[in-house]
Amino acid sequence: MGKFIDLTAADGVVFPAYVAEPAGKPRGAVVVVQEIFGVNSHIRAVADGYAAAGYLAVAPATFHRVQAGVDMGYTEADMNAGFALKTKVEALPPPGVLQDIQAAINHAAQSSGGKVGIVGYCWGGLLSWRAACTLSGLSAAAPYYGGGMTVGDEPARKPACPVMVHFGDQDHWIPLDTIEAFKKAQPGVQVFVYAANHGFNCDQRGAYNEAAAKLAKQRTLDFFALHLG
């Protein structure tokens, strides 16, 4: 359904993004932010799913500044490589990869002619939370199990658009007490906790939880329908 195009960030860096278009006129747009495994077949399938729901979907390659063409699976070696790449991106001088996400938002708005939401998974959940708080042009954000967003300075951020967050109660990367602290710090954010593990949305991972994934997706679609159209 989709194809890769090149986008240009504010600092002139050119990077690829996977774009999936709906069958008819877009009802809006959704930026899909990858996990630590690149814009792989799962992330492309997620973008295709939002396109099937009527949205223009744009998935920027957020590893491109440190390594091009990342498309990994979910082995332990892939996990280690992904963490290393994430660490490199996080070490970039600010605004780092957020300017690539801003370029994706801008393209999504221009191409769809509608409002733009953002959804992200794992590291992409953290990036989509930061995007909701620091970038322009977003009307809704739905981070999934964003590692790091419940600790440090992240819970003190102020989102500039409505936010819905999905966590799993068996996620050893994101302890439940930090989720509770995040909820207290962000009373305006909708926080849902599922009987599931980290990565529960990904049907290519052992952590996949069909019931949690379906419920979270439906809640997100309803949320986007309300705020994007």
Side-chain angles (χ1 to χ4, degrees):
M1 184 182 293
K3 64 181 180 181
F4 278 94
I5 64 168
D6 284 337
L7 298 179
T8 304
D11 65 351
V13 169
V14 178
F15 64 95
Y18 179 79
V19 177
E21 298 183 8
K25 184 180 184 301
R27 57 192 295 181
V30 177
V31 173
V32 179
V33 191
Q34 64 171 67
E35 302 171 296
I36 60 169
F37 308 102
V39 184
N40 62 5
S41 60
H42 171 62
I43 293 300
R44 298 194 300 272
V46 169
D48 291 344
Y50 280 104
Y55 297 98
L56 176 83
V58 182
T62 50
F63 276 158
H64 189 76
R65 285 178 182 265
V66 298
Q67 185 171 315
V70 178
D71 182 343
M72 295 190 289
Y74 299 94
T75 66
E76 186 174 350
D78 291 328
M79 186 87 68
N80 291 335
F83 270 120
L85 290 170
K86 173 199 166 186
T87 300
K88 287 184 179 179
V89 175
E90 292 282 325
L92 292 171
V97 74
L98 284 173
Q99 57 200 320
D100 301 342
I101 296 174
Q102 184 67 68
I105 294 167
N106 297 346
H107 176 79
Q110 183 177 13
S111 296
S112 71
K115 295 179 179 178
V116 181
I118 191 168
V119 62
Y121 306 86
C122 177
W123 177 48
L126 172 63
L127 291 176
S128 57
W129 168 244
R130 289 175 178 167
C133 299
T134 64
L135 301 184
S136 61
L138 287 173
S139 296
Y144 278 66
Y145 35 84
M149 65 178 286
T150 61
V151 296
D153 296 334
E154 298 296 335
R157 292 185 185 272
K158 299 197 182 318
C161 66
V163 178
M164 170 184 286
V165 186
H166 307 288
F167 294 113
D169 66 2
Q170 298 151 39
D171 188 338
H172 66 279
W173 299 106
I174 308 173
L176 271 174
D177 60 336
T178 69
I179 296 173
E180 290 303 316
F182 180 88
K183 288 166 68 173
K184 288 180 181 176
Q186 296 288 342
V189 172
Q190 293 184 66
V191 178
F192 292 103
V193 180
Y194 304 82
N197 210 322
H198 189 83
F200 68 76
N201 181 71
C202 179
D203 59 4
Q204 297 182 25
R205 301 175 72 167
Y208 178 59
N209 184 306
E210 183 179 11
K214 285 186 174 180
L215 180 55
K217 178 69 178 292
Q218 189 57 56
R219 284 170 168 165
T220 302
L221 286 172
D222 292 345
F223 181 66
F224 283 163
L226 178 64
H227 296 292
L228 306 182

